[in-house]
Amino acid sequence: MATQNDLAAYFRSLHAPGNPVVLTNVYDGATASHIANHPATKAIATASYAIAASQGIPDECLTLSQNLASIRIVASVLKRDSSDKESTNSLLRVPLTVDVQDGYDNVAQTVKEIIKLGAVGCNIEDFDNNTGHLRSLPAAVKRIQYALEAAREVGVPDFVVNARTDVLGSPGGTVQDAIERGKAFLEAGACTVFVWGPGGRGVSSAEIKELVAALGGKVNVKLVLKDGFLTVPELKAIGVARISVGPELWRAAMGSFKDTADRLLSSCEK
């Protein structure tokens, strides 16, 4: 019988430079159900920004308990079979990786909690939400090590950490700083490095190429669903290993919701 670590190993294998896994991040049961049932889906990922927004709060205010509650709902959807019945198998239908921001106060305990829910991977940021500052490189590395040690302790040694760095958004932060952090994160056991662009601008083509060359392609890039930004085929050609959409689908859904609601409510004023 397959194990949760088998699912983690499979998810890890999907991170192939030049043939990236594409993650269309979800934030509730409805979105999880749609993505899970799409034939192109290989894995499911959550987006903390979208989870927080769907609860009416800013991303930085999302507590661990609130995040876990949403992850539990997503995981429950992934335990259902095609007849919408809960599976007797405790494994999820597809790998689930979750955004746990900076890992919260006790990153090891956080990882154990999400593994208990069925997750086989997570995002961990090097930005400290409590202080509002970037963690030192040694401190950020330690937290990745704690996360992976915790996963090994509960029987998931192939647990996938996508290590995010916000160094480009910090005063004076450069691509070289991101590369230095990325190399340290990979050495600590992270599967990929996610470099966050300052001000939500994304990371440029030149920056991504530099990161891919320096980090052996083990790079995660956030897709921006607007004209003028790199597409999936273009990112694939550059050689990244992972592409995620973050809150982009939530923004698209809310845009449609707002437009439809505005038309309806405007008609009531006439």
Side-chain angles (χ1 to χ4, degrees):
M1 181 179 291
T3 66
Q4 191 168 353
N5 192 62
D6 292 332
L7 204 59
Y10 167 67
F11 182 49
R12 181 177 286 271
S13 75
L14 295 177
H15 294 70
N19 187 26
V21 59
V22 179
L23 299 167
T24 45
N25 303 67
V26 305
Y27 49 91
D28 61 11
T31 54
S33 179
H34 180 78
I35 298 301
N37 289 311
H38 194 285
T41 295
K42 295 181 179 178
I44 297 284
T46 66
S48 70
Y49 182 100
I51 284 176
S54 68
Q55 297 182 34
I57 56 177
D59 190 21
E60 62 272 16
C61 294
L62 183 69
T63 66
L64 175 58
S65 61
Q66 288 170 322
N67 202 351
L68 289 175
S70 291
I71 293 168
R72 185 174 291 106
I73 291 170
V74 169
S76 70
V77 169
L78 302 183
K79 287 182 180 179
R80 297 175 193 157
D81 60 25
S82 57
S83 64
D84 205 34
K85 293 180 180 178
E86 191 82 9
S87 172
T88 55
N89 189 339
S90 60
L91 285 181
L92 307 187
R93 284 186 286 152
V94 292
L96 171 64
T97 183
V98 298
D99 184 351
V100 293
Q101 302 183 324
D102 64 353
Y104 299 95
D105 293 332
N106 187 331
V107 66
Q109 188 57 39
T110 296
V111 167
K112 289 180 180 180
E113 290 289 340
I114 62 174
I115 288 176
K116 192 184 302 181
L117 294 177
V120 296
C122 73
N123 281 18
I124 297 179
E125 305 167 5
D126 59 3
F127 187 83
D128 187 338
N129 281 329
N130 288 327
T131 66
H133 297 290
L134 197 72
R135 283 189 167 89
S136 70
L137 180 53
V141 166
K142 274 291 184 187
R143 291 176 71 79
I144 292 170
Q145 292 172 336
Y146 291 152
L148 292 169
E149 286 170 7
R152 285 191 291 270
E153 287 175 9
V154 293
V156 190
D158 288 306
F159 187 82
V160 174
V161 169
N162 184 39
R164 170 176 149 174
T165 178
D166 286 33
V167 70
L168 274 184
S170 299
T174 66
V175 174
Q176 285 306 312
D177 294 326
I179 289 171
E180 178 188 14
R181 285 186 171 242
K183 286 181 176 179
F185 296 163
L186 292 173
E187 187 175 344
C191 179
T192 44
V193 177
F194 180 17
V195 179
W196 187 254
R201 69 162 173 80
V203 185
S204 71
S205 176
E207 290 168 335
I208 295 170
K209 289 176 181 177
E210 195 171 352
L211 289 163
V212 165
L215 302 176
K218 297 178 180 180
V219 176
N220 175 206
V221 174
K222 177 186 172 294
L223 193 69
V224 180
L225 301 179
K226 294 179 182 177
D227 292 339
F229 288 88
L230 292 168
T231 64
V232 169
E234 289 169 335
L235 289 169
K236 184 175 182 178
I238 291 173
V240 304
R242 174 168 167 156
I243 299 169
S244 52
V245 302
E248 293 288 312
L249 291 178
W250 172 84
R251 290 194 176 106
M254 289 302 101
S256 179
F257 178 91
K258 181 179 181 301
D259 289 345
T260 304
D262 286 349
R263 286 197 300 271
L264 172 64
L265 294 172
S266 295
S267 70
C268 296
E269 296 176 343
K270 296 177 181 178

